[in-house]
């Protein structure tokens, strides 16, 4: 099966990969960038490594969608409950103890949440129907609103500022390290225009 990279550790030593030869749930694989070591963490669609490199998130699709947090060293995986039935993405806050999750509760539109690893209930951060990406500063959000509108705000009730220059079909790639810019890809056709 094919293996694709999903994330790289902060020190550049490890890649978090997705192995699509592992059946309906795929496989979560951690591989050294020099290919000297490969670890299979478990099942799921690989998402992100925590900033401290100690955890990897994955979404299990079967029998029902579940968010799993795998330790990259010794320890047991965590299965986070809390009412979300469809997960779209799971990113990390800078402290490596809280997750920034986008998904939907039953009979509700998708939104984004904060959830800590202790298993507390997810806390909504955006209104229903509004997705977001979290900046490296752990506070700034780029909101993606229905109708292709974008805005910047911060967690905790910051002023919402419209952001121009984005198109609804643009794919967000990453925030800049200083949380002041977002890199986007104009279309998925080669060559990639960023």
């Amino acid at each position: 099966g094919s293996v694709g990279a999903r994330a790289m550790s902060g020190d550049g030593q490890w890649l978090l990969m997705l192995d699509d030869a592992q059946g309906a749930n795929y496989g979560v694989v951690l591989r050294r960038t020099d290919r000297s070591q490969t670890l299979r963490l478990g099942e799921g669609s690989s998402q992100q490594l925590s900033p401290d490199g100690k955890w990897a998130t994955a979404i299990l699709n079967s029998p029902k969608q579940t968010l799993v947090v795998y330790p990259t060293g010794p320890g047991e995986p965590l299965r986070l409950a809390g009412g979300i039935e469809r997960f779209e993405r799971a990113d990390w806050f800078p402290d490596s103890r809280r997750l920034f999750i986008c998904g939907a509760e039953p009979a509700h539109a998708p939104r984004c949440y904060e959830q800590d690893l202790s298993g507390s209930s997810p806390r909504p951060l955006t209104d229903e129907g509004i997705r977001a990406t979290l900046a490296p500063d752990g506070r700034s959000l780029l909101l993606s609103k229905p109708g292709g509108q974008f805005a910047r705000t911060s967690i905790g009730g910051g002023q919402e500022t419209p952001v121009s220059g984005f198109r609804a079909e643009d794919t967000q790639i990453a925030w800049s390290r200083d949380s002041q810019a977002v890199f986007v890809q104009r279309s998925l056709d080669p060559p990639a225009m960023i």
Side-chain angles (χ1 to χ4, degrees), residues 68-128:
V68 181
V69 184
Y70 290 108
T72 58
E76 291 298 314
L78 306 173
R79 289 177 184 261
L80 298 183
I84 300 172
E85 75 169 2
R86 294 188 324 273
F87 293 91
E88 295 180 351
R89 196 175 67 249
D91 295 321
W92 290 91
F93 281 89
D95 62 10
S96 297
R97 298 298 307 163
R98 294 173 295 144
L99 288 162
F100 181 81
I101 300 166
C102 295
E105 295 174 82
H108 288 274
R111 67 192 315 177
C112 298
Y113 304 82
E114 175 184 342
Q115 185 169 14
D116 65 42
L117 295 186
S118 69
S120 63
S121 293
R123 181 173 73 92
L125 295 176
T126 66
D127 291 337
E128 279 190 38

Side-chain angles (χ1 to χ4, degrees), residues 7-11 13-17 28-32 37-42 46-58 68-78 92 96-97 117:
M8 181 183 284
S9 61
D11 61 8
Q13 299 291 304
W14 293 93
L15 288 172
L16 181 65
M17 307 186 81
V28 181
V29 175
L30 202 57
R31 178 186 288 167
R32 281 200 175 274
Q37 190 177 4
T38 300
L39 305 170
R40 187 175 189 282
L41 302 181
S46 307
Q47 295 292 299
Q48 292 290 334
L49 283 167
S50 60
D52 65 8
K54 294 181 179 176
W55 300 97
T57 51
V68 181
V69 184
Y70 290 108
T72 58
E76 291 298 314
L78 306 173
W92 290 91
S96 297
R97 298 298 307 163
L117 295 186

